[in-house]
Amino acid sequence: MNLAERQKQFVDAVKTHYGATKKTKVSTLFGVSNSAKIIEGGIQLGVPNLDNASAENDGFIFTCVLKFPPEDEVYFAVLIRSAKAEFLTRLADMKALGAAAKVPAAAPAADPDDEAEDDAEGGTAASIKYSAKNNLVASYIAAADGKIYLRNASFWSTLNIDLAAFAPAIEVDSIDVAVYPPSVSVQRSLLARDFVGYLGNLIGREKVHELRVWTDSTSVSPAMQRLPHTLAVEDIEAAVQAAGGHYPGGEVRRFHAALNFLTHKHFVILSGLSGTGKTKLALHYARAVHGLTDPNAPDPFLFVCAVRPEWTDPTGLTGYYDVLSNRYVVPPFLEAVLVATAYPDSPVFVVLDEMNLARVEYYFSDVLSAIETEESLQLHSNSVPLEGSTGTSIRAALLLPSNLYITGTVNVDETTSPVSDKVLDRAVVIDMSAVDLAGFLAALEAREPALKDARAACEGHLLAAHGQMTAHGLGFGYRVAEEAVRYHAFAAEHLKAPPAGTTDDLMVQKVLVKLRGSEKQRQLLTGLQKTLGGLPRSQAFIARLTADLDEFGSFQASR
């Protein structure tokens, strides 16, 4: 698609969206000499020919474009409709002044800075040259009030002057925006999105609307533009269940509420026993919100950050400048922030997996502060953006966008660090230690009927051991149970092993290895010895642990 085709498609889309008629005057400002640019104190829209503008027109549309590196084009259209009277009054005033002075329209100044200085010094209509016509009217949106100002002399290079001489100012009804190319990629320059945000700051965010003019194979689907709070929780629950999630205790509902009850902060910690589906809940929920039913389909708005135990500062999340490559290293968390900033209409999910493997308050402190204060996240101190390792430009500071949803998973055991109140107070913590093992196994068989015999072979021993171990705080989750069933199925098909022998192997290799304790857990060992009476390897394993308890006063299966 060439440039002229893109421009025509944008103009056609704007006309449709604004309901333009034959009486709507549409000015296309895509040329080199009349194009838009950002100047001090606002935006120069261009120089539309308004000589034929009249009361018969039912509205005025200026279509403009700005280009940003590496290849982005931001098309935007400014609609003037409700302030048509002020618009025509200003045009009439300029005509009257031009006729009275009998001065021809001035050519653009050779040095725009000189023109700006003249305007700033004079500051009154008497010091400005006017034409008796309204062709090639220089048009601007001033940052001071977000309104349009017109003149038909040469360009200004600044709007930081007394604009009262150019009243009446014209109210902007709306600005439509479209960004080309439309692909979902963090490679997209954030400068383009910054400009869209700048337009919202100028005239009010509620007046800026993005049009989907172009589509391609990687464009954002409508399903990925739905914020979670707009969806029925029943639909999300059904999608999570269809994906294999088993959460009978209302975990999906509680997670949904915790993520969405605030508009500016979406931070949830899923805590509890290993293998209960904490990470899967976060992943299934994100894919359900994005409308993805194919488990193999990629999700460009879902990021998983595996926390490392050596993290003692924020660089594992927010990146750092690498002097050797002369680039800013962009980790997955920062990439998620960049994508969420680039696509404000789409929910972006980031999962901090095993977030307490390191001290959370150390590496997460900057992000926590940005979440709570709604201030910018400081990345570096350079006054100009740095080239990022993903190809995008990295500014010195970034606001955490409101469409960023952060979930952390936490296991509480001897390998993890405790989570401080500073962190807990800023999140909603959902405990997921409760395990419905029987229900999970039934759901697993319902999804995969071929596992029926494998389930039947090991379910009794799994449930009995789980019940006894849970009472002593040593229970296991769905992961262990599912892998036990699948191991059984594999052994039956490929090893031709008897079911009882396979179950015995599994109990030693997957379940009993979790046993540890002191005299208080003697009753547990005694109970397991009775429960697993027909499994010789399990009996020998428990006997060894009992001997350790007798000799040392404690036992540890994995010593």
Side-chain angles (χ1 to χ4, degrees):
M1 182 192 308
N2 61 37
L3 181 63
E5 290 174 335
R6 292 199 296 274
Q7 292 171 352
K8 182 180 184 304
Q9 289 177 1
F10 175 71
V11 173
D12 291 343
V14 168
K15 289 179 178 179
T16 301
H17 183 249
Y18 284 149
T21 68
K22 292 182 179 180
K23 294 183 178 180
T24 306
K25 186 170 181 59
V26 180
S27 301
T28 55
L29 308 177
F30 298 137
V32 175
S33 61
N34 68 346
S35 62
K37 69 176 181 178
I38 299 174
I39 63 174
E40 184 181 9
I43 301 175
Q44 170 191 294
L45 297 177
V47 282
N49 188 334
L50 300 175
D51 190 34
N52 296 323
S54 69
E56 293 184 359
N57 297 121
D58 58 9
F60 303 89
I61 299 174
F62 299 160
T63 58
C64 316
V65 65
L66 277 173
K67 296 184 179 182
F68 298 90
E71 58 180 7
D72 292 336
E73 300 170 356
V74 180
Y75 292 83
F76 62 103
V78 180
L79 173 66
I80 301 170
R81 186 170 280 159
S82 60
K84 185 179 77 169
E86 290 85 350
F87 184 79
L88 295 174
T89 297
R90 173 60 183 154
L91 293 180
D93 288 346
M94 288 193 295
K95 275 189 177 182
L97 286 169
K102 295 183 180 179
V103 177
D111 187 346
D113 290 333
D114 293 342
E115 179 71 27
E117 290 174 5
D118 292 342
D119 292 343
E121 290 171 3
T124 63
S127 66
I128 307 299
K129 298 181 179 70
Y130 287 94
S131 167
K133 291 187 176 183
N134 286 323
N135 57 331
L136 304 182
V137 176
S139 308
Y140 308 85
I141 298 180
D145 56 10
K147 295 184 178 180
I148 291 180
Y149 290 86
L150 305 176
R151 64 179 300 197
N152 60 352
S154 51
F155 282 125
W156 285 316
S157 64
T158 178
L159 294 176
N160 292 333
I161 59 175
D162 182 10
L163 294 172
F166 308 96
I170 298 107
E171 189 81 27
V172 176
D173 285 81
S174 176
I175 294 182
D176 274 357
V177 179
V179 181
Y180 187 90
S183 59
V184 179
S185 172
V186 74
Q187 302 285 350
R188 166 172 289 175
S189 169
L190 287 181
L191 295 175
R193 288 294 169 180
D194 285 345
F195 176 67
V196 176
Y198 176 62
L199 289 175
N201 292 335
L202 280 182
I203 69 166
R205 295 186 181 277
E206 72 283 354
K207 291 184 177 182
V208 177
H209 310 282
E210 184 163 357
L211 294 182
R212 303 292 177 181
V213 179
W214 306 282
T215 59
D216 63 14
S217 59
T218 58
S219 64
V220 182
S221 67
M224 287 192 175
Q225 298 173 42
R226 308 175 303 175
L227 293 177
H229 72 271
T230 65
L231 305 179
V233 68
E234 294 82 6
D235 294 340
I236 297 176
E237 283 184 309
V240 169
Q241 183 177 2
H246 182 71
Y247 305 100
E251 290 88 352
V252 175
R253 288 176 173 267
R254 286 185 280 138
F255 184 59
H256 180 70
L259 267 183
N260 296 285
F261 77 103
L262 293 176
T263 58
H264 68 284
K265 181 171 72 172
H266 314 287
F267 179 32
V268 175
I269 293 177
L270 301 177
S271 175
L273 189 68
S274 176
T276 54
K278 299 183 294 296
T279 302
K280 282 191 174 181
L281 172 57
L283 300 181
H284 290 331
Y285 180 90
R287 295 178 67 83
V289 170
H290 291 151
L292 297 174
T293 57
D294 181 358
N296 298 316
D299 189 340
F301 292 142
L302 174 59
F303 298 83
V304 178
C305 308
V307 174
R308 300 284 302 173
E310 70 271 13
W311 285 2
T312 57
D313 59 48
T315 56
L317 291 181
T318 59
Y320 59 92
Y321 176 67
D322 181 12
V323 294
L324 296 179
S325 64
N326 196 31
R327 303 172 83 191
Y328 193 92
V329 176
V330 179
F333 182 87
L334 178 57
E335 189 175 3
V337 175
L338 295 172
V339 170
T341 303
Y343 296 91
D345 296 331
S346 298
V348 175
F349 296 89
V350 56
V351 181
L352 300 178
D353 201 22
E354 305 281 2
M355 73 179 301
N356 63 330
L357 280 179
R359 293 296 298 268
V360 181
E361 58 272 18
Y362 289 174
Y363 72 84
F364 205 52
S365 58
D366 288 6
V367 178
L368 276 178
S369 178
I371 289 174
E372 197 63 25
T373 63
E374 299 182 58
E375 296 292 333
S376 295
L377 184 64
Q378 195 68 34
L379 301 178
H380 58 79
S381 57
N382 281 38
S383 58
V384 296
L386 300 176
E387 180 185 359
S389 57
T390 58
T392 191
S393 298
I394 308 299
R395 301 196 309 264
L398 277 176
L399 282 171
L400 289 182
S402 60
N403 59 319
L404 182 69
Y405 296 79
I406 304 173
T407 302
T409 65
V410 168
N411 288 331
V412 182
D413 56 38
E414 68 279 0
T415 68
T416 60
S417 303
V419 181
S420 69
D421 287 346
K422 174 184 178 180
V423 179
L424 297 177
D425 287 348
R426 288 162 171 78
V428 176
V429 182
I430 299 176
D431 180 61
M432 297 183 61
S433 297
V435 176
D436 173 28
L437 207 59
F440 172 78
L441 292 173
L444 178 62
E445 182 186 326
R447 291 197 310 274
E448 300 183 49
L451 297 175
K452 178 180 179 180
D453 293 340
R455 172 199 171 191
C458 62
E459 181 175 21
H461 287 101
L462 285 175
L463 294 179
H466 179 265
Q468 294 181 16
M469 293 172 65
T470 299
H472 291 266
L474 298 172
F476 52 91
Y478 302 128
R479 182 190 298 116
V480 170
E482 181 174 355
E483 291 183 3
V485 173
R486 294 190 183 281
Y487 185 102
H488 243 291
F490 182 89
E493 180 180 356
H494 297 281
L495 306 181
K496 311 303 180 184
T502 302
T503 300
D504 198 6
D505 292 342
L506 280 169
M507 296 306 296
V508 172
Q509 295 166 189
K510 291 293 293 182
V511 177
L512 301 182
V513 290
K514 297 173 67 68
L515 294 176
R516 62 187 180 276
S518 58
E519 189 63 35
K520 290 183 179 180
Q521 279 71 44
R522 182 179 292 274
Q523 184 180 0
L524 171 61
L525 296 179
T526 302
L528 286 173
Q529 200 156 28
K530 293 179 180 178
T531 299
L532 307 177
L535 306 177
R537 286 194 63 196
S538 300
Q539 287 286 306
F541 192 89
I542 296 171
R544 178 177 66 81
L545 297 182
T546 304
D548 287 348
L549 178 60
D550 292 338
E551 183 175 355
F552 305 114
S554 65
F555 61 94
Q556 176 82 39
S558 56
R559 64 177 173 81

